Amino acid sequence: MIAQRRKKENAKPRLGQIIMNKGEKIFVAGYRGLVGSALIRRLEREGFHNLPKCDRSQLDLSDEQAVHGFFAQEKPAIVIVAAAKVGGIKANNDFPVEFLLDNLRIQNNVIHAAHEAGVRKLLFLGSSCIYPKFAPQPIPETALLTGSLEPTNEAYAIAKIAGIKLCQAYAREYGANFISAMPTNLYGPNDNFDLNTSHVLAALLRKAHEAKMGKVRELIVWGSGNPRREFLHVDDLASACLFLLERYDSPEIINIGCGEDVSIRELAELICDVVGFEGNLAWDTTKPDGTPRKLLDITKLRNLGWQPTIPLREGIAQTYDWFLKNVAR
Ligand code: GDP
């Protein structure tokens, strides 16, 4: 009954109809994380002020009933799904059950509840790891589901692919304006700096800082140093998300990146330079390299008129500053 009603309402033509006014209620699921907090910063800077905030203690996104209750009460106009269980290569590899199950639960609950509550537009955030391990580089959106995934993050990737497909299904079956964007590797304030669960950039910032402070001569980097990754500052991601909310209404996925990649060796050297660590790099080749290269093709986003603004060195320096004030203290 509810689904039928929603089908009728959502089936109205809606492309190009989303105009975000500053009072519109926007729910950022996962507002405390790296991505969610950047989105809130950006939205507030732009003058949006109707932004309900719930942390995990107030709303457990893996609890279906609680999520439906929240949506029925709050009735947000726009939703950004930035909530996810995330982690670096080690965490992903060690805990596939949690990465698959938690992410499926969170996204299923939020996307379904958004539909039931009549949300006008939803942005689901995926990841560049949804693409095949040996995808063509730079990776176009059309590479999705054309080959096998990288085993170290397969569980997370499968969950994210299911999220994309769910959004597309709501678009096809109910005419919902649920879009999906695929960010490349992200970094910035509020990143996770735990060495067991973090991604490479935050991990190396911490390691370089601690090596410098401890006057240690050697910094251990995982793998061979040869894999290549693209790094986007999370403030650029937030800017791209707002851009897409206002100008992109297609269920087809769209990549968000900066268009340039570096090897892990180059990244480590750059981080050491920014931090001021002058010792040597040592390579722990018992740790996995993961995907050999992940560089997104961002032609589609560029053609819409968006581009990143934060160069890598500047972004790393700013993140190091945040780390010093918020984590190293
Ligand atoms: P990925 O992009 O999903 O592979 O995730 P990560 O950001 O965790 O790792 C990217 C690459 O950095 C992999 O080749 C890792 O082996 C390498 N790497 C080097 N040192 C580290 C480290 O200290 N932590 C992490 N997480 N990765 C590291």
Side-chain angles (χ1 to χ4, degrees):
M1 189 55 189
I2 294 174
Q4 263 182 357
R5 195 183 67 226
R6 193 60 57 216
K7 184 167 190 163
K8 262 178 105 184
E9 287 170 10
N10 282 347
K12 290 177 203 153
R14 49 194 315 137
L15 295 190
Q17 288 184 354
I18 303 293
I19 298 158
M20 298 210 294
N21 73 59
K22 306 290 183 196
E24 217 157 15
K25 190 178 276 190
I26 305 177
F27 175 53
V28 178
Y31 89 98
R32 278 190 181 279
L34 170 70
V35 173
S37 60
L39 286 163
I40 294 283
R41 271 199 307 279
R42 178 74 190 206
L43 285 163
E44 287 179 342
R45 209 183 86 193
E46 300 275 330
F48 291 93
H49 50 82
N50 199 352
L51 310 170
K53 291 176 195 150
C54 281
D55 65 21
R56 204 167 297 178
S57 68
Q58 296 158 307
L59 175 63
D60 176 0
L61 294 171
S62 63
D63 178 340
E64 185 178 357
Q65 254 193 324
V67 173
H68 280 259
F70 171 82
F71 272 83
Q73 193 186 326
E74 289 287 342
K75 295 206 174 306
I78 293 169
V79 170
I80 309 176
V81 189
K85 181 172 179 62
V86 294
I89 194 164
K90 180 170 167 23
N92 263 285
N93 204 21
D94 290 351
F95 303 106
V97 172
E98 288 72 17
F99 276 83
L100 188 52
L101 215 48
D102 290 1
N103 283 310
L104 286 173
R105 281 197 182 117
I106 293 168
Q107 70 203 30
N108 286 351
N109 290 342
V110 174
I111 295 168
H112 180 49
H115 167 69
E116 292 289 302
V119 162
R120 295 209 291 126
K121 185 158 189 173
L122 178 144
L123 169 59
F124 175 71
L125 291 171
S127 160
S128 58
C129 72
I130 58 152
Y131 293 114
K133 174 167 185 165
F134 298 112
Q137 304 288 329
I139 312 172
E141 288 87 352
T142 50
L144 179 63
L145 292 174
T146 56
S148 303
L149 297 163
E150 154 62 28
T152 52
N153 53 33
E154 189 182 51
Y156 179 73
I158 292 280
K160 288 292 183 185
I161 293 170
I164 295 167
K165 291 295 165 188
L166 187 58
C167 288
Q168 291 177 341
Y170 274 112
R172 184 154 68 91
E173 194 173 331
Y174 297 103
N177 195 359
F178 288 3
I179 65 170
S180 301
M182 301 305 116
T184 192
N185 290 38
L186 302 168
Y187 70 97
N190 290 315
D191 206 344
N192 168 19
F193 288 89
D194 177 308
L195 294 182
N196 278 316
T197 55
S198 61
H199 284 278
V200 60
L201 196 149
L204 294 183
L205 257 185
R206 175 175 214 135
K207 286 182 185 177
H209 173 74
E210 289 178 354
K212 180 178 108 173
M213 300 313 283
K215 301 194 177 2
V216 177
R217 295 304 308 155
E218 204 171 67
L219 187 161
I220 296 170
V221 190
W222 296 353
S224 65
N226 296 327
R228 299 185 70 83
R229 296 287 183 273
E230 176 189 17
F231 296 96
L232 183 73
H233 192 284
V234 73
D235 287 348
D236 270 339
L237 173 81
S239 137
C241 288
L242 260 66
F243 180 90
L244 291 174
L245 280 175
E246 292 189 320
R247 293 175 221 207
Y248 189 75
D249 290 314
S250 165
E252 296 304 321
I253 61 173
I254 184 161
N255 290 338
I256 305 177
C258 65
E260 285 169 25
D261 63 354
V262 292
S263 71
I264 297 302
R265 179 183 297 276
E266 288 162 344
L267 176 75
E269 287 167 357
L270 179 56
I271 287 177
C272 290
D273 199 37
V274 169
V275 169
F277 169 70
E278 289 172 350
N280 303 317
L281 299 177
W283 302 93
D284 177 359
T285 50
T286 65
K287 296 286 195 303
D289 267 348
T291 310
R293 193 175 183 200
K294 264 194 284 186
L295 174 65
L296 293 179
D297 183 340
I298 54 162
T299 309
K300 200 166 154 179
L301 184 57
R302 271 197 202 283
N303 285 347
L304 288 174
W306 182 86
Q307 53 185 31
T309 59
I310 307 173
L312 185 57
R313 171 180 275 275
E314 190 184 314
I316 290 174
Q318 186 248 44
T319 306
Y320 183 45
D321 195 46
W322 186 90
F323 170 85
L324 289 175
K325 290 183 183 132
N326 294 277
V327 183
R329 279 192 314 141

